[in-house]
Amino acid sequence: MPRKTRKIQSNTTVLIVVEGTTELNYFSEMKAVERIPGITVIPKQAKYSSVTSIFKTAFEEQKTKVYDVIWCVFDCDTISKTTPYAKLEKLKRQAEHNNIHIADSLPAFEIWFLLHYVIPKKYYTDQESLIKELQIHLPEYKKSMHSLYSKLKTLHKTALEHSRKLEERNKNDEDKSASFCNVHKLFEEIEKLKK
């Protein structure tokens, strides 16, 4: 009688190159909590908190051919202060040309957390003003906070809906200083990979 062989499910690896410890903690916890069959999520913090370092890390990791999908997650407020707009756009085009995806936010990643509660204001003067608004809904929030993914998990669908509405609000707006968040695109990609 022939032996039955099990079909081995291929595993898709998703690298998420992040700017700071807030993002690293969030995606590391997501990886631990979700345990998505057939998908391995690997968060990695870039050596420096600069867009050049983030993209350099992504390009170097892509050369290893270890990852099926690579995402770069970063804040645009700090990036815009240290990187000329033309250079940022060039790096984004280079990343997209190399099939590296971008989940950027303005002013900061905390806008993703705020989207779990409300659609953000159109403008924030800085990251601190965004965090103050977030703390209205999540008073205990601090930078680099642990267990944030678990705390926000029940509101995840709301965040996705709000993020799409924010994207729609900004669609025909040429104003580059309006708040935005593309983190929902990363989660949509993971949902597609599940199927």
Side-chain angles (χ1 to χ4, degrees), residues 22 108-118 120-121 124 127-143 145 148 152 155:
T22 300
F109 188 69
E110 281 81 3
I111 202 164
W112 171 246
F113 304 148
L114 183 59
L115 283 160
H116 288 73
Y117 301 99
V118 295
K121 293 189 292 192
Y124 292 92
Q127 187 180 56
E128 287 74 33
S129 62
L130 169 64
I131 290 173
K132 280 181 185 171
E133 187 173 342
L134 174 60
Q135 288 172 333
I136 293 167
H137 307 281
L138 192 63
E140 67 274 26
Y141 179 77
K142 290 183 184 96
K143 293 285 290 172
M145 184 175 169
L148 203 50
L152 297 174
L155 300 169

Side-chain angles (χ1 to χ4, degrees), residues 156-173:
H156 185 76
K157 284 184 181 172
T158 302
L160 291 171
E161 287 170 22
H162 284 164
S163 195
R164 289 183 199 112
K165 285 178 183 174
L166 179 63
E167 183 178 40
E168 195 61 36
R169 180 181 83 187
N170 292 342
K171 199 177 232 175
N172 299 316
D173 196 343

Side-chain angles (χ1 to χ4, degrees), residues 55-87:
F55 284 118
K56 182 181 177 192
T57 303
F59 295 139
E60 286 172 356
E61 292 294 348
Q62 189 179 47
K63 287 177 190 168
T64 67
K65 300 196 184 301
V66 171
Y67 307 101
D68 299 297
V69 181
I70 298 176
W71 281 83
C72 293
V73 178
F74 57 89
D75 300 348
C76 286
D77 68 339
T78 51
I79 297 300
S80 62
K81 289 174 189 166
T82 58
T83 307
Y85 180 77
K87 183 177 181 180

